Amino acid sequence: MWRHSIRPRPGWKDKVVEQGLVFPMTDLPDGSQTPYWNESAWYEVTMEEVLHLERVTEELYEMCKHAAAVMASGDRFSDAQLGLASGTLPLVRESLKRDDPSVYARFDLVWNGVEPKMLEINGDTPTGLVESAVIQWNWLEDVFPEGDQWNSVHDRLVRWWTEKRAAGAFPGNEAHFFNSAAETTGEEAMTVAYLRDTAAMAGLATYGHEIEDLGWESEQRAFVDWGGRRIRTAFKLYPWEDMLDDQFGKYIVGGLEREPVQWIEPIWKTMLSTKAILPVLWELYPDHPNLLPAYFGSPGDLLEWVAKPLHGREGSNIRIHTITATEDDVHDGPYDTDTMVYQEWSPLPSYEGNRAVIGSWIVDGVAAGMMVRESDGPVTDYYARFVPHAIGSEARPDQETIQKWLTE
């Protein structure tokens, strides 16, 4: 993978906003701004690298599903050890047993040129979707109109809704979409609106509002939207660990629904959104080339490590310990640090000071594309920049070939 500097398109900020990215800039603590969407550079990957990343992504996902079943068995963890509401794990087991439908997830990978290593999986509430699926593809159309990109995210999302609708997975051919009012940057609302669009493209009737406006109808023993419409299928961008602690989450844990809502993502994805999956994967697949050694509750035999809270996001509350530093590198944040997962320290590669992490998307179990985020420091945090990519020297395939790939 190579990083190239390039002149941004004239009016790039207005372009990406018009295409749906509501925050092209990131506010800094001193009141200034820095680009979140950074098209003053692009990353070049080869087709061989893409094929390798695809294989790794799909293998890791199958391993994660196996690990989820092990974690939910009740032999390895309790609800309390995972920081979950009491009664969560039995629901996870039932969800896995039903094979509740799941649409997408994103791996974060560190790649220093040999084997990519899994840093974590965002299996419940991954973001960065609009930038990956839409904005960087439109950038490619403008800048390299004959070029190709590892990106079938949009096509696979629409295909997933279409196939599931045809199979009768959505009662009434409708779905609700919820984001949280607590997230004020617009990121969650933007992501949910995009996913709602992909469902509408598949022919579903869609409804949506903030999840805080969800209601409970006692006589029907059902969740209802703000118009009193019963909710049967719902996509939410709201973490399960928070949802089950909320007032209405207790109706789910208590099994009070007459006909439970089909949530997307399903509750079994809870196991894929906690850092506890990292030591379980290492136990199940020791010395796997795409995993880093990881332990629950202590660093074990690791000399250099990163301590991560179970439900942390965007690098908050992590601690980096290296043998050369006199003090640990500690990052503040709002998450509970009572229980930590310790993972071997694997620094991100630096491209002229830009530390790059790969986000590898999976849709319906199939590797679907990548995104690259850059940071100035060792942690990919809130201030990281999204940088587009292209497959060097690869011409764009024709529509017949693309459709063939999608059906394979």
Side-chain angles (χ1 to χ4, degrees):
M1 188 166 77
W2 299 267
R3 185 183 193 274
H4 304 286
S5 296
I6 190 172
R7 187 186 300 275
R9 294 169 293 174
W12 66 268
K13 197 184 302 182
D14 291 337
K15 284 179 185 286
V16 300
V17 171
E18 288 170 3
Q19 293 163 3
L21 183 62
V22 299
F23 47 91
M25 307 292 287
T26 300
D27 294 329
L28 298 174
D30 64 3
S32 63
Q33 289 188 320
T34 188
Y36 166 69
W37 171 261
N38 176 24
E39 62 174 68
S40 67
W42 64 283
Y43 281 88
E44 176 186 357
V45 290
T46 67
M47 181 56 80
E48 290 72 21
E49 289 173 329
V50 168
L51 293 174
H52 186 60
L53 287 167
E54 284 183 340
R55 286 194 296 271
V56 168
T57 299
E58 291 177 5
E59 182 178 356
L60 286 174
Y61 191 67
E62 289 302 313
M63 292 159 57
C64 286
K65 288 170 68 177
H66 177 206
V70 171
M71 294 167 70
S73 67
D75 299 330
R76 181 67 177 83
F77 293 109
S78 67
D79 291 318
Q81 286 173 311
L82 293 177
L84 300 172
S86 177
T88 300
L89 288 178
L91 295 178
V92 171
R93 287 195 287 273
E94 289 301 313
S95 179
L96 284 166
K97 189 176 177 181
R98 291 191 302 266
D99 195 21
D100 286 343
S102 163
V103 57
Y104 76 145
R106 192 196 77 228
F107 287 95
D108 283 348
L109 306 173
V110 54
W111 192 15
N112 286 295
V114 184
E115 280 290 349
K117 305 282 188 183
M118 175 181 166
L119 294 176
E120 62 185 40
I121 179 172
N122 302 278
D124 185 19
T125 60
T127 53
L129 189 65
V130 177
E131 306 91 296
S132 299
V134 178
I135 309 301
Q136 69 170 346
W137 179 260
N138 289 332
W139 168 86
L140 185 79
E141 294 269 27
D142 285 349
V143 179
F144 300 116
E146 303 298 325
D148 199 10
Q149 187 177 80
W150 180 24
N151 191 354
S152 62
V153 176
H154 178 80
D155 290 336
R156 293 191 184 282
L157 288 171
V158 176
R159 188 181 186 85
W160 184 84
W161 291 108
T162 303
E163 290 181 347
K164 288 290 183 289
R165 182 179 67 83
F170 307 123
N173 283 332
E174 64 181 34
H176 282 75
F177 292 80
F178 301 118
N179 60 281
S180 172
E183 201 283 321
T184 57
T185 69
E187 182 178 38
E188 291 187 7
M190 173 186 78
T191 305
V192 170
Y194 171 62
L195 277 159
R196 184 176 174 180
D197 282 347
T198 62
M201 288 176 189
L204 287 169
T206 64
Y207 311 90
H209 54 70
E210 291 168 347
I211 200 166
E212 286 81 0
D213 291 328
L214 203 65
W216 174 257
E217 219 296 324
S218 299
E219 288 191 10
Q220 296 184 54
R221 289 168 43 206
F223 289 105
V224 294
D225 66 16
W226 61 8
R229 189 182 190 89
R230 186 181 150 202
I231 298 164
R232 295 187 282 187
T233 298
F235 175 89
K236 50 83 188 167
L237 204 64
Y238 188 58
W240 271 108
E241 67 268 16
D242 295 337
M243 190 161 149
L244 294 179
D245 272 338
D246 287 352
Q247 177 189 353
F248 288 165
K250 293 177 173 56
Y251 297 130
I252 299 175
V253 175
L256 300 184
E257 296 170 277
R258 181 170 288 146
E259 294 181 34
V261 173
Q262 174 177 253
W263 291 100
I264 302 166
E265 294 296 317
I267 194 169
W268 71 262
K269 296 296 282 296
T270 308
M271 300 294 100
L272 271 60
S273 66
T274 167
K275 305 300 185 294
I277 197 172
L278 299 173
V280 175
L281 283 168
W282 187 246
E283 287 176 17
L284 295 172
Y285 305 97
D287 300 321
H288 190 283
N290 303 117
L291 296 178
L292 292 166
Y295 302 100
F296 190 86
S298 78
D301 58 358
L302 300 177
L303 299 178
E304 296 187 310
W305 43 261
V306 183
K308 303 180 176 182
L310 291 180
H311 303 299
R313 287 173 170 82
E314 293 187 326
S316 296
N317 296 104
I318 73 167
R319 174 185 292 266
I320 302 172
H321 175 84
T322 61
I323 56 177
T324 54
T326 55
E327 294 183 355
D328 290 353
D329 183 5
V330 180
H331 294 250
D332 295 332
Y335 297 104
D336 184 355
T337 57
D338 287 347
T339 302
M340 303 290 274
V341 165
Y342 294 78
Q343 185 183 51
E344 185 177 72
W345 170 235
S346 181
L348 297 173
S350 176
Y351 296 83
E352 300 176 337
N354 299 285
R355 316 285 182 92
V357 65
I358 292 175
S360 179
W361 291 97
I362 193 151
V363 178
D364 195 19
V366 179
M370 68 179 269
M371 67 182 202
V372 181
R373 282 172 298 160
E374 292 180 338
S375 54
D376 296 328
V379 176
T380 307
D381 58 15
Y382 174 78
Y383 303 105
R385 304 170 291 277
F386 190 108
V387 184
H389 79 277
I391 304 174
S393 74
E394 287 291 326
R396 188 175 304 178
D398 57 30
Q399 279 300 316
E400 183 179 353
T401 302
I402 292 172
Q403 293 305 314
K404 181 183 174 186
W405 286 346
L406 291 173
T407 56
E408 285 178 350

